[in-house]
Amino acid sequence: MEFLFTLWLQFLATLPLFVLILLGYLAIKIGKWQKTVTDSLTKFTFYIAFPIMLFQIMSHFSEHSHIDIKLLLVFFGGTFIVFAIGCVIASKLFKLNGSESTMFAMGGIYTNTVFVGIPIIKMLLGDSAIPIVAIIVIFNALILWTLASVSIEFVQIGKLSCKSILQAFKKVSKNPIIIGIFFGLIVNYSGIPLPKFINQSSQMVSDMTAPLSLIVLGMGLAEYKLRDNLLVTTAICALKLVVLPTITYILGKLIGLPTLELQVVVLLSSVSLAINCYMMARQFAVLQGPIASSLLISTALSSVTTPLILSIMLQLT
């Protein structure tokens, strides 16, 4: 009964997040808002709101506890293990080709760290956990785009090259999220205090970013539809919502991550598939239908699975 009560409390804590996603979804489906509205709000959120929020948080980075480098080993170690598992499942069970197997595996590991991960971590664990997320965000896009690019190039032409790696690095270096994090770190370690009006303005933007991003995500999800290959979609969602957080938790316990960092990396790995994965599927023209379906289903299911995973961790500690 205590476990069920804890689970209910965690579900109630995350429910407002998914209500905001539903609000954005209904605004498009029922309100019949134009796609241009979604595109404009998405652009504002990604290019302005999130970079400013992360700049504001990272400019006070040294005020938070020390970030253990082991958390990167745990988060990305679990990512690579599940990627390998996904490739084997796709190839042996679903008989997918090399490129399709790569994209199937990417669907099982590409976490929505920004639009869903940050709001959930912020609400459940507080601002002190955000620098941990920021460290992961810095490396996440670069590592996963490089992994996908190199893997697909390898299966298509049978050899590796530095070109795709350099292209991925160049693309990520221009990412406004990464730019916001790095400028915040520069301000933090330079020791130069921010003017009060800048600090207050960035804090105001920071406060509105998480709810705005969830509404925008809901608006974006309204554009996608469930398609065929639901068995493949189910397998992708199982990898993303169950296998990845489980392996991440096991690695974290084996390596000995502190409680807060362990909770962050496990919760972050448990949230839904990132929209970037669908963009990746479109870019490579591989497995677009199942990835779009997985994006929708994993977002809905994570409203239950993420608080469930947090409740289980609280019981185990």
Side-chain angles (χ1 to χ4, degrees), residues 142 145-146 163-175:
L142 174 60
W145 273 98
T146 301
K163 184 178 180 180
S164 60
I165 299 176
L166 292 175
Q167 287 177 339
F169 180 80
K170 183 178 180 180
K171 182 175 183 179
V172 172
S173 67
K174 296 179 180 179
N175 187 310

PDB file of all heavy atoms in Angstrom, residues 142 145-146 163-175:
ATOM      1  N   LEU A 142      25.412  15.265 -29.872  1.00  0.00           N
ATOM      2  CA  LEU A 142      26.636  14.970 -30.619  1.00  0.00           C
ATOM      3  C   LEU A 142      26.866  13.466 -30.703  1.00  0.00           C
ATOM      4  O   LEU A 142      27.116  12.917 -31.784  1.00  0.00           O
ATOM      5  CB  LEU A 142      27.837  15.649 -29.961  1.00  0.00           C
ATOM      6  CG  LEU A 142      29.213  15.303 -30.573  1.00  0.00           C
ATOM      7  CD1 LEU A 142      29.272  15.710 -32.030  1.00  0.00           C
ATOM      8  CD2 LEU A 142      30.319  15.976 -29.776  1.00  0.00           C
ATOM      9  N   TRP A 145      23.831  11.662 -32.806  1.00  0.00           N
ATOM     10  CA  TRP A 145      23.879  11.944 -34.249  1.00  0.00           C
ATOM     11  C   TRP A 145      25.107  11.307 -34.876  1.00  0.00           C
ATOM     12  O   TRP A 145      25.049  10.790 -35.999  1.00  0.00           O
ATOM     13  CB  TRP A 145      23.873  13.448 -34.503  1.00  0.00           C
ATOM     14  CG  TRP A 145      22.497  14.032 -34.584  1.00  0.00           C
ATOM     15  CD1 TRP A 145      21.814  14.666 -33.589  1.00  0.00           C
ATOM     16  CD2 TRP A 145      21.618  14.001 -35.711  1.00  0.00           C
ATOM     17  NE1 TRP A 145      20.564  15.032 -34.025  1.00  0.00           N
ATOM     18  CE2 TRP A 145      20.411  14.646 -35.322  1.00  0.00           C
ATOM     19  CE3 TRP A 145      21.737  13.494 -36.998  1.00  0.00           C
ATOM     20  CZ2 TRP A 145      19.337  14.796 -36.194  1.00  0.00           C
ATOM     21  CZ3 TRP A 145      20.656  13.642 -37.863  1.00  0.00           C
ATOM     22  CH2 TRP A 145      19.486  14.293 -37.466  1.00  0.00           C
ATOM     23  N   THR A 146      26.236  11.353 -34.168  1.00  0.00           N
ATOM     24  CA  THR A 146      27.446  10.713 -34.680  1.00  0.00           C
ATOM     25  C   THR A 146      27.253   9.209 -34.782  1.00  0.00           C
ATOM     26  O   THR A 146      27.621   8.588 -35.792  1.00  0.00           O
ATOM     27  CB  THR A 146      28.642  11.018 -33.760  1.00  0.00           C
ATOM     28  OG1 THR A 146      28.831  12.441 -33.696  1.00  0.00           O
ATOM     29  CG2 THR A 146      29.912  10.374 -34.301  1.00  0.00           C
ATOM     30  N   LYS A 163      34.143  12.072 -42.289  1.00  0.00           N
ATOM     31  CA  LYS A 163      33.274  13.131 -42.796  1.00  0.00           C
ATOM     32  C   LYS A 163      31.990  13.264 -41.997  1.00  0.00           C
ATOM     33  O   LYS A 163      31.614  14.363 -41.588  1.00  0.00           O
ATOM     34  CB  LYS A 163      32.958  12.871 -44.269  1.00  0.00           C
ATOM     35  CG  LYS A 163      32.124  13.982 -44.914  1.00  0.00           C
ATOM     36  CD  LYS A 163      31.890  13.701 -46.387  1.00  0.00           C
ATOM     37  CE  LYS A 163      31.064  14.815 -47.019  1.00  0.00           C
ATOM     38  NZ  LYS A 163      30.814  14.556 -48.471  1.00  0.00           N
ATOM     39  N   SER A 164      31.309  12.123 -41.764  1.00  0.00           N
ATOM     40  CA  SER A 164      30.033  12.187 -41.055  1.00  0.00           C
ATOM     41  C   SER A 164      30.231  12.617 -39.605  1.00  0.00           C
ATOM     42  O   SER A 164      29.397  13.319 -39.037  1.00  0.00           O
ATOM     43  CB  SER A 164      29.327  10.833 -41.106  1.00  0.00           C
ATOM     44  OG  SER A 164      30.125   9.840 -40.506  1.00  0.00           O
ATOM     45  N   ILE A 165      31.356  12.201 -39.001  1.00  0.00           N
ATOM     46  CA  ILE A 165      31.648  12.598 -37.624  1.00  0.00           C
ATOM     47  C   ILE A 165      31.859  14.102 -37.538  1.00  0.00           C
ATOM     48  O   ILE A 165      31.329  14.777 -36.651  1.00  0.00           O
ATOM     49  CB  ILE A 165      32.883  11.845 -37.083  1.00  0.00           C
ATOM     50  CG1 ILE A 165      32.618  10.338 -37.093  1.00  0.00           C
ATOM     51  CG2 ILE A 165      33.246  12.312 -35.681  1.00  0.00           C
ATOM     52  CD1 ILE A 165      33.805   9.508 -36.670  1.00  0.00           C
ATOM     53  N   LEU A 166      32.619  14.658 -38.468  1.00  0.00           N
ATOM     54  CA  LEU A 166      32.877  16.094 -38.480  1.00  0.00           C
ATOM     55  C   LEU A 166      31.607  16.879 -38.766  1.00  0.00           C
ATOM     56  O   LEU A 166      31.374  17.945 -38.182  1.00  0.00           O
ATOM     57  CB  LEU A 166      33.950  16.427 -39.522  1.00  0.00           C
ATOM     58  CG  LEU A 166      35.365  15.911 -39.222  1.00  0.00           C
ATOM     59  CD1 LEU A 166      36.303  16.194 -40.387  1.00  0.00           C
ATOM     60  CD2 LEU A 166      35.899  16.536 -37.939  1.00  0.00           C
ATOM     61  N   GLN A 167      30.764  16.356 -39.660  1.00  0.00           N
ATOM     62  CA  GLN A 167      29.508  17.031 -39.968  1.00  0.00           C
ATOM     63  C   GLN A 167      28.596  17.052 -38.743  1.00  0.00           C
ATOM     64  O   GLN A 167      27.936  18.056 -38.460  1.00  0.00           O
ATOM     65  CB  GLN A 167      28.804  16.339 -41.134  1.00  0.00           C
ATOM     66  CG  GLN A 167      29.460  16.595 -42.488  1.00  0.00           C
ATOM     67  CD  GLN A 167      28.773  15.841 -43.616  1.00  0.00           C
ATOM     68  OE1 GLN A 167      28.080  14.847 -43.381  1.00  0.00           O
ATOM     69  NE2 GLN A 167      28.965  16.291 -44.845  1.00  0.00           N
ATOM     70  N   ALA A 168      28.555  15.940 -38.013  1.00  0.00           N
ATOM     71  CA  ALA A 168      27.731  15.883 -36.809  1.00  0.00           C
ATOM     72  C   ALA A 168      28.238  16.863 -35.758  1.00  0.00           C
ATOM     73  O   ALA A 168      27.462  17.572 -35.113  1.00  0.00           O
ATOM     74  CB  ALA A 168      27.734  14.465 -36.245  1.00  0.00           C
ATOM     75  N   PHE A 169      29.557  16.933 -35.577  1.00  0.00           N
ATOM     76  CA  PHE A 169      30.146  17.849 -34.600  1.00  0.00           C
ATOM     77  C   PHE A 169      29.854  19.302 -34.980  1.00  0.00           C
ATOM     78  O   PHE A 169      29.507  20.129 -34.130  1.00  0.00           O
ATOM     79  CB  PHE A 169      31.646  17.623 -34.509  1.00  0.00           C
ATOM     80  CG  PHE A 169      32.328  18.528 -33.512  1.00  0.00           C
ATOM     81  CD1 PHE A 169      32.293  18.238 -32.158  1.00  0.00           C
ATOM     82  CD2 PHE A 169      32.987  19.673 -33.928  1.00  0.00           C
ATOM     83  CE1 PHE A 169      32.903  19.064 -31.235  1.00  0.00           C
ATOM     84  CE2 PHE A 169      33.606  20.510 -33.017  1.00  0.00           C
ATOM     85  CZ  PHE A 169      33.562  20.200 -31.664  1.00  0.00           C
ATOM     86  N   LYS A 170      29.972  19.619 -36.263  1.00  0.00           N
ATOM     87  CA  LYS A 170      29.714  20.978 -36.736  1.00  0.00           C
ATOM     88  C   LYS A 170      28.258  21.368 -36.519  1.00  0.00           C
ATOM     89  O   LYS A 170      27.952  22.490 -36.077  1.00  0.00           O
ATOM     90  CB  LYS A 170      30.066  21.086 -38.226  1.00  0.00           C
ATOM     91  CG  LYS A 170      29.901  22.485 -38.804  1.00  0.00           C
ATOM     92  CD  LYS A 170      30.314  22.513 -40.266  1.00  0.00           C
ATOM     93  CE  LYS A 170      30.145  23.915 -40.851  1.00  0.00           C
ATOM     94  NZ  LYS A 170      30.540  23.957 -42.284  1.00  0.00           N
ATOM     95  N   LYS A 171      27.353  20.410 -36.775  1.00  0.00           N
ATOM     96  CA  LYS A 171      25.925  20.679 -36.610  1.00  0.00           C
ATOM     97  C   LYS A 171      25.585  20.929 -35.150  1.00  0.00           C
ATOM     98  O   LYS A 171      24.857  21.874 -34.811  1.00  0.00           O
ATOM     99  CB  LYS A 171      25.119  19.498 -37.147  1.00  0.00           C
ATOM    100  CG  LYS A 171      23.615  19.701 -37.066  1.00  0.00           C
ATOM    101  CD  LYS A 171      22.878  18.544 -37.724  1.00  0.00           C
ATOM    102  CE  LYS A 171      21.369  18.784 -37.699  1.00  0.00           C
ATOM    103  NZ  LYS A 171      20.628  17.677 -38.371  1.00  0.00           N
ATOM    104  N   VAL A 172      26.129  20.101 -34.263  1.00  0.00           N
ATOM    105  CA  VAL A 172      25.829  20.239 -32.845  1.00  0.00           C
ATOM    106  C   VAL A 172      26.433  21.511 -32.272  1.00  0.00           C
ATOM    107  O   VAL A 172      25.850  22.149 -31.384  1.00  0.00           O
ATOM    108  CB  VAL A 172      26.329  18.998 -32.076  1.00  0.00           C
ATOM    109  CG1 VAL A 172      26.212  19.198 -30.578  1.00  0.00           C
ATOM    110  CG2 VAL A 172      25.525  17.776 -32.496  1.00  0.00           C
ATOM    111  N   SER A 173      27.599  21.934 -32.756  1.00  0.00           N
ATOM    112  CA  SER A 173      28.246  23.143 -32.239  1.00  0.00           C
ATOM    113  C   SER A 173      27.426  24.388 -32.527  1.00  0.00           C
ATOM    114  O   SER A 173      27.588  25.413 -31.859  1.00  0.00           O
ATOM    115  CB  SER A 173      29.645  23.291 -32.848  1.00  0.00           C
ATOM    116  OG  SER A 173      29.566  23.561 -34.243  1.00  0.00           O
ATOM    117  N   LYS A 174      26.527  24.314 -33.512  1.00  0.00           N
ATOM    118  CA  LYS A 174      25.658  25.443 -33.839  1.00  0.00           C
ATOM    119  C   LYS A 174      24.301  25.343 -33.145  1.00  0.00           C
ATOM    120  O   LYS A 174      23.452  26.215 -33.309  1.00  0.00           O
ATOM    121  CB  LYS A 174      25.438  25.520 -35.357  1.00  0.00           C
ATOM    122  CG  LYS A 174      26.713  25.797 -36.146  1.00  0.00           C
ATOM    123  CD  LYS A 174      26.422  25.839 -37.645  1.00  0.00           C
ATOM    124  CE  LYS A 174      27.681  26.124 -38.451  1.00  0.00           C
ATOM    125  NZ  LYS A 174      27.403  26.137 -39.911  1.00  0.00           N
ATOM    126  N   ASN A 175      24.103  24.290 -32.367  1.00  0.00           N
ATOM    127  CA  ASN A 175      22.846  24.084 -31.665  1.00  0.00           C
ATOM    128  C   ASN A 175      22.662  25.167 -30.605  1.00  0.00           C
ATOM    129  O   ASN A 175      23.523  25.346 -29.747  1.00  0.00           O
ATOM    130  CB  ASN A 175      22.856  22.693 -31.012  1.00  0.00           C
ATOM    131  CG  ASN A 175      21.522  22.319 -30.406  1.00  0.00           C
ATOM    132  OD1 ASN A 175      20.946  23.088 -29.650  1.00  0.00           O
ATOM    133  ND2 ASN A 175      21.049  21.136 -30.711  1.00  0.00           N
TER     134      ASN A 175
END
